[in-house]
């Protein structure tokens, strides 16, 4: 019965997010995280906290977003889930970026990229490296940003058309 209730709670949270009702989605994801935690399911609880973090960031609550995701990457690491660990570091970095804590955000994007590389998630890693490059550009570090973009695209096995064009442009720079 509890498993079914949790499934409905997650479905309702997802539906609220898809309907752009971010505050409601964040509340529902938070409730789901509490239920999973009570059941001793730390990995699913951490995933719900990350979903809550994304919803809170969309709702304009960067501090709440940061608070929701903080510490979840370590839970995924302990569970051997590098993909979700990388996504958790990425969510934390996005919240830190929104809070204006650019150095902390950049560090978390690097950690996200490392975990996603271990997970074999080349497209997600490329997105993270692009976000890192954006921070580096904002800080006036153009060469570092170009290197981050190159490193992010270098590992992509099946690049999109946009990524192929960007690779070509980066080669011209060299």
């Amino acid at each position: 019965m509890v498993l079914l209730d949790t499934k409905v709670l997650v479905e309702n949270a997802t539906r609220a997010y898809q309907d752009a009702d971010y505050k409601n989605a964040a509340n529902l994801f938070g409730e789901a995280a509490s239920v999973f935690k009570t059941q001793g399911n730390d990995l699913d609880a951490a995933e719900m906290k990350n979903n809550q973090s994304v919803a809170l960031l969309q709702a304009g609550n960067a501090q709440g977003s940061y608070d929701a995701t903080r510490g979840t990457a370590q839970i995924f690491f302990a569970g051997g889930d590098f993909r979700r660990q990388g996504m958790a570091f990425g969510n934390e970095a996005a919240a830190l970026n929104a809070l204006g804590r650019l150095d902390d955000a950049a560090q978390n994007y690097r950690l996200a990229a490392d975990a996603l590389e271990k997970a074999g998630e080349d497209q997600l890693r490329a997105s993270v490296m692009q976000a890192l490059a954006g921070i580096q550009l904002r800080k006036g570090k153009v060469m570092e940003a170009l290197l981050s973009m190159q490193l992010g695209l270098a590992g992509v096995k099946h690049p999109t058309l946009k990524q192929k064009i960007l690779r070509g442009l980066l080669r011209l720079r060299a």
Side-chain angles (χ1 to χ4, degrees), residues 50-137:
N50 273 276
N51 291 344
Q52 181 184 37
S53 172
V54 172
L56 286 166
L57 194 58
Q58 288 290 330
N61 184 349
Q63 185 62 53
S65 174
Y66 175 70
D67 293 341
T69 194
R70 202 167 66 153
T72 60
Q74 290 73 18
I75 293 168
F76 293 126
F77 176 77
D81 191 333
F82 294 117
R83 181 181 186 280
R84 290 194 291 183
Q85 179 193 23
M87 293 175 71
F89 276 130
N91 290 338
E92 191 170 331
L96 288 164
N97 189 16
L99 289 168
R101 294 174 51 189
L102 300 184
D103 291 335
D104 292 334
Q107 178 60 27
N108 275 279
Y109 278 132
R110 287 184 193 95
L111 292 170
D114 290 345
L116 291 168
E117 185 174 26
K118 288 177 188 171
E121 292 286 346
D122 59 334
Q123 291 290 345
L124 285 173
R125 183 176 184 278
S127 295
V128 164
M129 293 302 287
Q130 184 176 357
L132 174 59
I135 289 175
Q136 291 164 332
L137 282 175

Side-chain angles (χ1 to χ4, degrees), residues 20-79:
D21 186 1
Y22 300 121
K23 287 182 182 178
N24 187 35
N27 290 334
L28 292 170
F29 282 129
E31 287 179 39
S34 295
V35 171
F36 282 126
K37 185 76 173 164
T38 301
Q39 295 171 352
N41 187 340
D42 291 341
L43 290 174
D44 285 341
E47 183 171 351
M48 292 301 109
K49 292 301 283 182
N50 273 276
N51 291 344
Q52 181 184 37
S53 172
V54 172
L56 286 166
L57 194 58
Q58 288 290 330
N61 184 349
Q63 185 62 53
S65 174
Y66 175 70
D67 293 341
T69 194
R70 202 167 66 153
T72 60
Q74 290 73 18
I75 293 168
F76 293 126
F77 176 77

